[in-house]
Every structure is written in structure tokens, then in C-alpha cells.
Amino acid sequence: MSSVIYQAIFFLFILLIIALPLGWYIKEIMQGRIPKGVRFLQPVEHFFYKAIGPISKKEMSAKRYAMNVVLLSISSIILLVIILMTQHFLPGGTAVENLSLPLALNTAVSFVTNTNWQAYAGETTLSNASQMFGLTVQNFISAGVGISVLAALLRGLSQVKKKALGNFWQDLTRSLIYILLPLSLILAVLLISQGTVQSFKSGVGYQGLEGKSLWLYLGPVASQVAIKQLGTNGGGFFGANSAYPFENPTLLSNFLENIAILLIPAALIFAFGFWVKDWKQGRTIMIVSLFFLLIAFIGVGFSEYYGPQFSQVIGATNLEGKEIRLGIGWSSLWSVATTAASNGSVNAMLDSFTPLGGAIPLFLMQLGEIIFGGVGSGLYGMLAFLLLAVFIAGLLVGRTPEYLGKKIEAYDIKMASLVILTPLMLTLFGAMALVLHPEIMTWLTNRGPHAFSELLYGATSLANNNGSAFGGLLADTTFTNILGSLLMAVSRYLPIFAILFLAENMGGKRRAALSSGTLSTVSPTFVSMLIIVILVIGALSFLPSLALGPIAEFFTMN
């Protein structure tokens, strides 16, 4: 177990070393100060502005910013549905069938909302054209939207008596051209060097050991894997995701992909500190995120290493559902990274984890995926919790709550509450809808508490835009496709609207002078309070449902 902890410490050290300069770079890019090393890309940026038109040059209010986000998203969903429902007739699609309307809609909404829930096996259901021009493109755009919305919020927090939030199309273009594309290119090349497949061939035939003719699926895998991890998307080219050797061949590729999951979310925390010109504010969020991630990793690793009964008996180690080449340490680290962020990719079967080993990733999602979180969405979710903690602290000491020199008022808390409560309520609603469906027992592969855990995990993943699954819930039904589409869309866009209107309201305020009575949001006391607020909201909301699932299963197994 000690070697597993050393792995995590080394992993986090490398992550922070890379994320710090990347955070400064992202801040410069999103503020429009393009570093010299990437200015050769500016002609491409200007070409996009000309193609978009005059709308790319105007400052936007929160309402106009939100309308443009929705316009892009609806257009993307319609286009992707058309691609998926006609892929058999498109180039290279003769070997696959067109998707049904419910499955195509669910897949389109999933990838446009950065969820990447997959009710299909990619290598057998989709053509290479659908994967490249449909899913991979949306992996880039959905991640770019998250960064853009965060940039709008940071402008609102840092500017004084100015409500304009910048221009959505400029934010999106810069995030794509200067951040996501270069990083994805670098990672894709590194993955190819390790053996990750990158080919335009759909596959090759070969003869198996028993003399049967078999088919080995190939495709443009590395390019999709790179952005699926960096953009916290998670949708795998193959059905087995990053547990499949052609998608994740070696220990080094596993390390690189795991780093990529948390790299941009961690860098954005540093970017926040640089943006508001107070690195200690970023330090507060980083400490809280590292605290939760380490505690979660130790909990999962301990549970999987010593088995469900925590007994140090030889053979108690739980290796079921894990790749032997990766082992318990890297499988446990991946499971908490992918659910702390809104990534959802897997390198082990979560359904085979011990009850508590599966409960911790589930709980990380139920906190709202704010522990590093998705690209952009994780940090603005954490900032919503932070504003709530500031408001509660202000009530306790009898002072008007302030953050970054601006007073936190009732409107701000309403918007922050929408961000916090939307995925929470949708999770419970989704679980309820699944439980009440008359055919639900035929959609589950298990019975008892574990069956409820599978159901609860599916609803949590959909309502928090994660996309991972235990694997025991039949996902491709008309009901789950439509319900999932609704959960993913509302959970993505309602918090985005709330964040944008919060940013506009904060931007219009004047900055108050600091005094001896101003609440410090960088002190150990406030860090502790923020941790408590996050835990209390999560525990009070989901402890009853967890008690019916993984907790009950744990005591049943013992």
C-alpha cells in the first residue's frame, strides 16, 4: 500500500509542475495577450473571426453570451444527429448501421455537453468518419465552451463597474487554437510513440489460435484519446475505453493519459490566481482539491488493496476488473481522477470495485465534480461553493460577506445555489425515474444493493456530465436515452446560465477597500470551512441513497 501512495505523490508532483506554467499561459491567452511562441497561429485566429462575422467583435452581456452558447450547442446537436443517423451512407460507413433517433440524440447531447456517456461500443457501432468528424470535433468544442464560460466569470470577478463579459466567439476560438489543439497534438504524438493506434483503416483480418477468421478493429484512436482526456470528455474510441491495450498500451501511456485528465483543470486553478492578481486565492482552491483527491485515492486504494473486509490476508487484494499491467495503484488513481473531473474514462471496470471502492468515485461525482472538475466547469462550480462558504461565514460573524473586494448579495447566492443544486436535484430525479420504471429490473445485471448502486451511479453520471458507468445498467433503451438526454442538457446549461448572470452582476460592482474586519479567504480557517461546506452539502443530499447502495452492500458482504 505504501508504494501505491508514493505513486500518487509522484503523480501529483508532476501534475503541479506542468500545470503551474500552463496556468500562466492560459491566463495570457484568454486575456488576449498571445505569447510570442504561438503568434504564428494568429492568422488562423483572424480567419475564424472573418468566417464568424461581425458578431465576433462585439462585447457581450450575460444574456447575449448565453444565447450564443445555446445557438452553437443546438446547431452542434442537430449536425451530429444527422451524421450518426446517416453514417452508413457516408464515406467508410458501409460496415456499420445508422443509429436510431433516441440513441443518436443521446450520443449527440452527450458529446456536446461534455458528458460523453456512451450507450454503444464505438468500434462496432460507429464509422471512422463519425468518430473523427462527429465525436472528436465536439470533444474540442465542448471543452472550449467550458473554458470560455470560466473566462467570462473571471472577467466578472476581476473587473470593476463593467458588466460586459467579453466575446464568446473570441474566447472559444482562442481556447481551441492556442490551448486545446496544441496540447492534443503533443499528447497524440506521445501516445502514438507508445503504441496507441492511429490509422484510417477500420481494421485488419487475422486468423485466431483456433483457426477462425477474426477482425481486429483499428482507427484514428490517438487523436481522439488525446482530446478526450485533455478536454475531460472521456468518450473512448473502443468500448473498453482506456482499459483496451490499443487505446492505452503501456504504463507510460497510462501515466500520460491520467495526467491529461487533470492537467487543464489544475492549470485553470493557477490561471485563476494569476487572473485576479492574488495567487493565494488559487492556493485555497488547490489545497481543497488536493485534500479531497488524496483522501479519495487513499480510500479507494485501501479498499481495493485489502479487499472488502479490510483484512490483511494474503489473497484479499481485489484484482477483479483491473488490468494486471496497471495494477491496483494506477487503477485506483484513475478512478478518482476521472470522477473528480468530469472525464468519465476508465482503465478498469468500476462495477468490479469493492463496495467502498466504488462508493468514493460515486460520491466525488455527487459533490458536483468540483475537485479539479471538468475543463472550466469544475472551477466555476468550486467558486460557487466558495461564494456560499463566504456568505455563511459572513452570517456567522455578522458582516456583509465579501469576495475579492466585492460584496456578496442575495442575487449572487441565488445564482451560486442554482449551480450547486441543479446537478444534485437532477441526480435524485434521475434515480427516482429509473427506480419507478416498470422494466428496470430487466435492465440490471445484478440484484440487491449492488443493483441499486449501478442505477444510482448511472443517474449520477448523467446528471453531473461525467459519462462513466458501473456497466450493469442497460443504457441503450428508448427511456434511458431520452431521460439521459434531458439530464445531461439541463445539468450542463442551467449552471452555465447562472454563472454568466453571476459574472455580469459581480462585474457591475465597485471594489470595497480591505479592512481589519474583512474575512480572509486564504486562511486555514476558511479552507477548513470550505471543505466542511462541500462535505455537508454532499453528505446531507446523498447519504440516504448511498446507504441503500454501496454502504448496504459493504455490510452485507461482511
Side-chain angles (χ1 to χ4, degrees):
M1 183 64 189
S2 59
S3 62
V4 171
I5 295 176
Y6 293 147
Q7 287 177 0
I9 294 173
F10 174 74
F11 171 85
L12 292 175
F13 174 76
I14 298 298
L15 173 68
L16 297 179
I17 288 294
I18 303 173
L20 179 59
L22 180 60
W24 176 87
Y25 172 79
I26 291 176
K27 185 267 297 184
E28 292 289 294
I29 291 296
M30 300 312 293
Q31 289 185 341
R33 295 192 291 267
I34 310 302
K36 291 182 180 180
V38 291
R39 286 181 186 171
F40 67 92
L41 294 172
Q42 283 185 308
V44 181
E45 177 188 1
H46 296 150
F47 170 79
F48 274 96
Y49 295 155
K50 289 182 180 179
I52 294 168
I55 195 175
S56 65
K57 300 177 182 179
K58 298 178 181 179
E59 289 273 312
M60 293 182 176
S61 63
K63 182 178 179 180
R64 184 170 293 275
Y65 205 104
M67 287 176 60
N68 280 271
V69 171
V70 172
L71 176 64
L72 175 64
S73 299
I74 291 176
S75 302
S76 298
I77 290 172
I78 293 173
L79 179 60
L80 188 50
V81 167
I82 293 173
I83 291 174
L84 295 175
M85 293 186 68
T86 60
Q87 65 172 354
H88 178 73
F89 307 108
L90 298 177
T94 54
V96 296
E97 299 297 325
N98 297 326
L99 269 61
S100 65
L101 177 58
L103 180 56
L105 177 63
N106 181 276
T107 304
V109 173
S110 175
F111 277 79
V112 171
T113 60
N114 202 249
T115 308
N116 298 68
W117 171 272
Q118 294 176 287
Y120 60 88
E123 66 268 40
T124 58
T125 310
L126 300 182
S127 66
N128 285 349
S130 295
Q131 298 262 28
M132 286 189 295
F133 301 111
L135 305 190
T136 304
V137 169
Q138 293 308 317
N139 282 345
F140 279 98
I141 294 177
S142 61
V145 168
I147 296 175
S148 301
V149 173
L150 175 64
L153 174 60
L154 297 187
R155 289 191 190 101
L157 292 174
S158 58
Q159 64 197 16
V160 179
K161 299 193 71 176
K162 181 184 176 183
K163 290 192 173 184
L165 300 178
N167 184 282
F168 168 67
W169 298 105
Q170 290 183 16
D171 291 338
L172 179 64
T173 302
R174 288 170 183 160
S175 65
L176 292 175
I177 293 176
Y178 298 110
I179 300 171
L180 295 172
L181 279 169
L183 289 176
S184 297
L185 178 61
I186 294 170
L187 180 58
V189 171
L190 290 174
L191 292 177
I192 291 171
S193 73
Q194 293 301 300
T196 302
V197 174
Q198 183 70 15
S199 171
F200 290 116
K201 286 187 175 181
S202 59
V204 293
Y206 69 99
Q207 191 172 25
L209 295 176
E210 298 178 354
K212 296 181 179 179
S213 296
L214 302 174
W215 185 256
L216 184 64
Y217 290 96
L218 303 174
V221 181
S223 55
Q224 183 168 324
V225 171
I227 186 57
K228 91 166 185 180
Q229 306 298 28
L230 286 166
T232 60
N233 298 283
F237 190 96
F238 298 105
N241 213 280
S242 288
Y244 192 61
F246 277 13
E247 195 164 313
N248 181 18
T250 66
L251 275 176
L252 180 57
S253 70
N254 184 82
F255 183 81
L256 292 172
E257 290 186 35
N258 209 338
I259 284 284
I261 293 173
L262 297 177
L263 179 58
I264 296 180
L268 288 173
I269 297 176
F270 288 117
F272 165 65
F274 293 135
W275 195 306
V276 299
K277 299 179 181 179
D278 186 354
W279 70 272
K280 291 183 180 180
Q281 300 296 339
R283 183 187 66 182
T284 296
I285 297 175
M286 183 62 73
I287 290 173
V288 173
S289 298
L290 289 173
F291 170 81
F292 275 102
L293 191 72
L294 278 172
I295 294 298
F297 168 71
I298 292 172
V300 174
F302 195 86
S303 181
E304 299 304 304
Y305 192 81
Y306 293 119
Q309 294 182 323
F310 293 151
S311 58
Q312 297 186 43
V313 179
I314 295 176
T317 299
N318 179 31
L319 287 172
E320 180 185 333
K322 299 177 182 65
E323 288 285 298
I324 299 300
R325 61 197 171 92
L326 303 178
I328 286 177
W330 295 118
S331 299
S332 300
L333 184 60
W334 190 297
S335 71
V336 297
T338 195
T339 49
S342 68
N343 184 268
S345 66
V346 293
N347 69 350
M349 177 54 68
L350 296 176
D351 200 31
S352 296
F353 277 39
T354 61
L356 295 187
I360 293 172
L362 175 59
F363 190 63
L364 285 173
M365 289 191 296
Q366 291 173 341
L367 292 179
E369 293 177 329
I370 57 171
I371 312 307
F372 291 105
V375 168
S377 61
L379 182 52
Y380 65 64
M382 175 64 84
L383 287 170
F385 271 95
L386 193 148
L387 292 179
L388 181 60
V390 169
F391 182 75
I392 294 172
L395 295 178
L396 292 176
V397 300
R399 281 183 55 89
T400 301
E402 297 177 0
Y403 185 60
L404 298 176
K406 297 184 176 183
K407 293 182 179 180
I408 308 302
E409 299 168 322
Y411 181 85
D412 306 313
I413 295 302
K414 289 178 183 177
M415 295 299 103
S417 297
L418 272 176
V419 177
I420 295 170
L421 296 178
T422 296
L424 185 155
M425 296 301 296
L426 288 175
T427 297
L428 297 176
F429 170 78
M432 176 197 71
L434 288 171
V435 167
L436 294 178
H437 196 279
E439 298 180 23
I440 186 60
M441 295 309 296
T442 64
W443 299 346
L444 295 166
T445 57
N446 290 278
R447 293 294 181 267
H450 192 75
F452 183 77
S453 296
E454 292 173 339
L455 180 153
L456 179 63
Y457 194 101
T460 302
S461 179
L462 288 165
N464 288 274
N465 298 131
N466 186 271
S468 64
F470 262 14
L473 173 66
L474 180 62
D476 187 14
T477 68
T478 300
F479 180 79
T480 52
N481 281 328
I482 295 175
L483 174 66
S485 300
L486 177 65
L487 294 177
M488 290 184 288
V490 177
S491 183
R492 174 69 166 179
Y493 295 110
L494 187 55
I496 283 179
F497 297 159
I499 283 296
L500 291 173
F501 285 103
L502 170 65
E504 183 179 63
N505 193 56
M506 294 292 289
K509 297 179 181 181
R510 60 171 55 91
R511 198 180 302 277
L514 297 178
S515 66
S516 59
T518 301
L519 173 70
S520 172
T521 54
V522 298
S523 65
T525 301
F526 183 79
V527 169
S528 302
M529 184 168 186
L530 180 56
I531 291 172
I532 292 171
V533 168
I534 294 170
L535 283 175
V536 166
I537 291 176
L540 291 180
S541 303
F542 295 109
L543 184 59
S545 60
L546 291 172
L548 293 173
I551 296 176
E553 184 183 3
F554 171 77
F555 286 108
T556 302
M557 291 183 70
N558 281 340

